[in-house]
Amino acid sequence: MRPFAYERPATAEEAVALVATRPGAVFLAGGTNLVEHLRLGIARPQVLVDVTGLPLDSVEELPGGGLHIGATVRNADLAAHPAVRECYPVVCQALVSGASPQLRNAATMGGNLMQRTRCAYFQDPDTPCNKRQPSSGCSALSGVTADSAVLGVSEQCVAVHPSDVAVALSAVDAVVLTVGPSGPRRVPLTRLHRLPGDAPERDTRLEHGELITAVQLPPLPPGTRSRYRKVRDRASFAFALVSVAAVLDLDGGTVRDVRVAFGGVAPKPWRATRAEAALRGAPATADSFAAAASAELAAARTVPGNAYKVPLARDTFVATLLDLCEASRTPRR
C-alpha cells in the first residue's frame, strides 16, 4: 500500500494550482484508467486532485452552432445527448463502441482524452518500457507485435493510443479548452497528443498542471454525413485493431470535402491528411477511396506480427466511406 494525499478543489484554478506546484500530483476524474494503474503499480502519485466536483459537467449548444462539452461529462451521458446523436453520429458511435456500459457510466470526456496506452508491456512493471521508465527499452519491439502501431512509431515506442472518441473528435476538428499555470488556451484535438519520438513518456502537449476544462465541436456543414467503424477481436470491451472515423460531404458523385482519422494504428489518433487531399474533388468510388487510403498508409512501418493492419485499415477506410455514400442518398428522417 502506497500512501497518497487527496484534494478536492472547488474551482479549476484551485485544481491547477494544487497540481502545478507539486511534481507528484495528478488530476483524478472518472479514474477508469488511473485507478487501474495505481493497482498495477504503474502510477505512483503523491497527491490525487479530484476534479469531479468542478462545474464542468454540462453540454451546451454554441451560439454559432456546434457544442461545448464540459470535461467531466460522462461518456454514457454524452452518447445519449440528443444533439450529439443528431448532429455528430461519428462521436456518438465512437463513445458507444468504447469499453463497457459500466466504464462508460464512469469515464469522463477529459479523462478519456488523457488516458494512457493499453500496451501489455506498459502495463507490466516487470518489463522494460520507455513510456513507463524512460531509457529502459521497448519490450514490444522484440515481443508480441500484433497490437502495435504501424504509423508514427519510433525506435523508442510502438504503443497504440487506445481512445475511440479521440479518433472521432479528430475527424470533426474538435478543439480542447484548457486552463494551466500559463492561463487558458485552445488546443486543436489533432495537436493535443504527440508522437513518441525520443520522449515516449510524454503522451500530450499539455504542461504539468494543465487541466482540460471542455471540448468544443464546430458545426458540420448541412448534408454532411459521419460514421465511426471499429474492427476488434470481440464485440464488447475490446480495443480497436483498426478504426476509422469519417466525415463526408458529397456534391453529387464527387467528394466536396472529407475528413478521416484512423485509430488502432498509431500512438495518437491519426488524421489521414494525405488521403483527404487525394479525395477532395475526386469521384466518390471504391477505387478512389482505396487509392487514397493506400497513399496514406504508404508510410507504414510493419513487422510480421502487425502487417495485417495495413490492408485492414485500407479496407475499413473504403467500407466506411462507401457506407457514407449510401447514407447520403437516403433522406434524413
Side-chain angles (χ1 to χ4, degrees), residues 250-267:
L250 293 178
D251 182 8
T254 301
V255 177
R256 177 161 39 213
D257 193 21
V258 62
R259 285 172 272 172
V260 182
F262 283 113
V265 298

Side-chain angles (χ1 to χ4, degrees), residues 224-236:
T224 296
R225 302 297 177 116
S226 67
R227 180 160 298 184
Y228 183 76
R229 183 186 292 261
K230 180 178 182 178
V231 182
R232 47 189 164 178
D233 287 329
R234 57 183 185 270
S236 178

Side-chain angles (χ1 to χ4, degrees), residues 42-321:
I42 297 171
R44 300 182 180 182
Q46 297 173 2
V47 184
L48 293 183
V49 178
D50 188 343
V51 298
T52 55
L54 301 182
L56 304 173
D57 59 350
S58 64
V59 180
E60 303 169 6
E61 296 189 21
L62 296 170
L67 290 178
H68 178 98
I69 304 164
T72 61
V73 172
R74 306 290 175 172
N75 285 6
D77 294 337
L78 185 61
H81 195 281
V84 177
R85 294 169 60 111
E86 174 66 22
C87 302
Y88 304 92
V90 63
V91 174
C92 178
Q93 292 159 9
L95 286 164
V96 171
S97 71
S100 66
Q102 294 86 350
L103 287 175
R104 292 196 296 271
N105 284 334
T108 63
M109 173 57 66
N112 189 296
L113 297 180
M114 293 299 292
Q115 68 180 302
R116 307 209 68 190
T117 182
R118 302 302 173 119
C119 174
Y121 299 104
F122 172 77
Q123 294 186 289
D124 182 358
D126 294 328
T127 62
C129 172
N130 288 322
K131 185 175 285 291
R132 180 171 19 87
Q133 185 177 351
S135 302
S136 64
C138 176
S139 297
L141 288 174
S142 58
V144 178
T145 56
D147 294 328
S148 60
V150 297
L151 293 169
V153 299
S154 75
E155 294 302 317
Q156 300 294 315
C157 183
V158 293
V160 170
H161 186 75
S163 175
D164 289 292
V165 72
V167 180
L169 294 176
S170 176
V172 300
D173 288 331
V175 175
V176 177
L177 276 59
T178 72
V179 60
S182 303
R185 65 172 177 148
R186 297 169 60 89
V187 183
L189 193 284
T190 53
R191 290 189 53 79
L192 176 66
H193 302 97
R194 61 183 301 281
L195 297 177
D198 58 0
E201 71 277 9
R202 294 182 55 212
D203 294 335
T204 73
R205 300 180 187 278
L206 302 186
E207 62 180 319
H208 180 67
E210 190 169 4
L211 175 67
I212 294 176
T213 58
V215 175
Q216 290 188 343
L217 311 185
L220 297 179
T224 296
R225 302 297 177 116
S226 67
R227 180 160 298 184
Y228 183 76
R229 183 186 292 261
K230 180 178 182 178
V231 182
R232 47 189 164 178
D233 287 329
R234 57 183 185 270
S236 178
F237 203 9
F239 296 100
L241 300 174
V242 164
S243 66
V244 171
V247 179
L248 182 65
D249 184 13
L250 293 178
D251 182 8
T254 301
V255 177
R256 177 161 39 213
D257 193 21
V258 62
R259 285 172 272 172
V260 182
F262 283 113
V265 298
K268 59 177 286 186
W270 188 268
R271 185 67 180 264
T273 53
R274 291 186 183 86
E276 292 173 1
L279 282 177
R280 291 187 182 102
T285 63
D287 287 343
S288 293
F289 298 155
S294 295
E296 187 67 43
L297 295 163
R301 293 171 55 185
T302 65
V303 293
N306 66 8
Y308 75 93
K309 286 195 173 188
V310 174
L312 182 60
R314 181 196 62 228
D315 293 348
T316 305
F317 180 101
V318 173
T320 304
L321 291 181

Side-chain angles (χ1 to χ4, degrees), residues 7 13-27 46-47 49 181 208-210:
E7 302 279 359
E13 291 73 19
E14 183 184 349
V16 168
L18 285 169
V19 174
T21 56
R22 306 179 189 181
V26 296
F27 296 116
Q46 297 173 2
V47 184
V49 178
H208 180 67
E210 190 169 4

